[in-house]
Amino acid sequence: MTARVVATLLLLASPVLIAQTPSANRPKMPSTTQDPAAVHRSALVIDTHADTPQRFLDEHFDLADPLNGGDLNLDSIHNGNLGAEFFSIWVEPKLYKGQYARRTLELIDSVKQQVARHPDQIQFVTSPEGIEEAHRNHKFAALMGIEGGHSIENSIPLLRQYYALGVRYMTLTWSNSNDWADSSGDINDTSIPHTKEGLTEFGKDVVYEMNRLGMMVDISHVADATFYRTLRISRAPVIASHSGARALCDAPRNLTDDMIRAVANYGGPNSKGGVVQVNFFSGFVSQAYWDAMKAQQPEIDKAIADAKEMAKAEGREFKYADEDKIQRAFAGKIPRPPLSMLIDHIDHIAKIAGVDHVGLGSDFDGVNGQLPEGLDSPADLPKITAALMARGYSADDCRKILGGNLLRVFREVEQVAKELQAQDRPRITEKQPGEKARK
Ligand SMILES: [Zn+2]
């Protein structure tokens, strides 16, 4: 979910957190003996963000269908050796106001329906071992992450039930701040109440409960203050499921170098640190694209408002697919950035934080087709491996970036959960929902 977010364009003061640059893990010299295609085939490729469930639900899209304007289907998954996908459970906050839990459950069900329809090709899994097992079975592993803490409706019991249904990460916010965490999407909007320090006491409980359950804490989308507060609270390393480097493209959804190093260095005493999964969205990859989008925004907003009016007059629901059409029409006017610019983000993060702390978070089916040149579906993922190897990344480095790093963090999150469960201690506070501090 990105293109829709751009209405709010914010530059944020960046707080300082002391972080060291890992000295190891520099890319090695190019290998002359290894074929990038073979290296790609040897990898367990994991992508941490695709918004295809909107299509399952609203367009009755089936993964066996042709792409038909979308970014991800079974053919492209097989052609690009995509081993696992975290399907995004994203509830549009305005459209589904008052029905967040219902929509969340329907999206979760839509993923499970796909698995049920294609048991020979897809395996629903909820753990690192599950991902590996599906891979051994030559099946595509389907996982789920919730995008936006508003889905839990300020209820720890709901959070626990989402975990029980198989959700394995939660992005604390989407582009909307909720009652307990602030978003980069509206942090500068003074008409919206914000927390005092990025997370309320209840928000801290949410992070703690996620740690205790073994649900990965995802800091993509959150406001900078929420990012730093979350790192101080979380007992486990965190992930950014779909974010790039702000040094290369100055969008608030991207992470500063300080934040990237903080993700890499943060975790418990024995932690190897978290991972930043790079978003493919052209607007977060290329500064020129981002600037062109900003310039278009008033026109896009107007077109969407008009279309909403028209839908209302015709007595039909305005859906994400309707907005997607408008976004695509405008996007078509901006030249796509080259794939090399996406590789620049991966390379930048690997250089400043270490090759153990970067991965892939495509945002397929969430960016209105606004993807770099030549990167239209998972079938094009081998091009990323080839480009990395051309820049001197070894086969091992590539396998880490393609999925190994995420698997390591996922394992560590589960280990921390086991330790916390063994301690059987209460949450940080026992305060309950909705206690939003107002400025
Ligand atoms: Zn998103």
Side-chain angles (χ1 to χ4, degrees), residues 1 49 147 174 221 242 253 363:
M1 292 304 130
H49 203 88
E147 180 174 27
W174 180 60
H221 279 286
H242 59 310
R253 275 279 285 102
D363 219 345

Side-chain angles (χ1 to χ4, degrees), residues 287-411:
Q287 187 72 51
Y289 200 99
W290 174 251
D291 293 340
M293 273 180 50
K294 273 200 287 192
Q296 279 185 339
Q297 200 59 48
E299 269 185 275
I300 296 174
D301 290 345
K302 188 178 178 305
I304 290 171
D306 290 350
K308 277 184 179 163
E309 278 302 311
M310 195 183 286
K312 205 172 164 188
E314 290 168 3
R316 67 185 166 83
E317 198 186 337
F318 183 82
K319 292 200 166 163
Y320 174 55
D322 298 311
E323 182 173 332
D324 185 60
K325 255 184 226 147
I326 297 167
Q327 296 278 10
R328 281 172 190 269
F330 279 94
K333 299 174 188 173
I334 312 174
R336 296 168 74 176
L339 178 67
S340 64
M341 291 185 87
L342 172 68
I343 308 302
D344 291 344
H345 282 257
I346 299 171
D347 193 34
H348 178 80
I349 295 168
K351 285 206 166 83
I352 65 163
V355 77
D356 290 332
H357 303 286
V358 59
L360 307 179
S362 68
D363 219 345
F364 281 140
D365 283 327
V367 296
N368 321 108
Q370 298 173 89
L371 296 160
E373 198 62 55
L375 188 54
D376 293 306
S377 76
D380 296 315
L381 291 172
K383 294 178 186 173
I384 293 178
T385 306
L388 286 169
M389 292 186 76
R391 291 196 193 192
Y393 286 81
S394 70
D396 281 347
D397 290 340
C398 288
R399 283 188 284 261
K400 284 178 177 181
I401 295 167
L402 292 168
N405 291 336
L406 190 278
L407 221 43
R408 181 198 79 238
V409 175
F410 197 177
R411 274 202 188 92

Side-chain angles (χ1 to χ4, degrees), residues 10 68 80 250 386:
L10 317 155
N68 198 16
D250 191 8

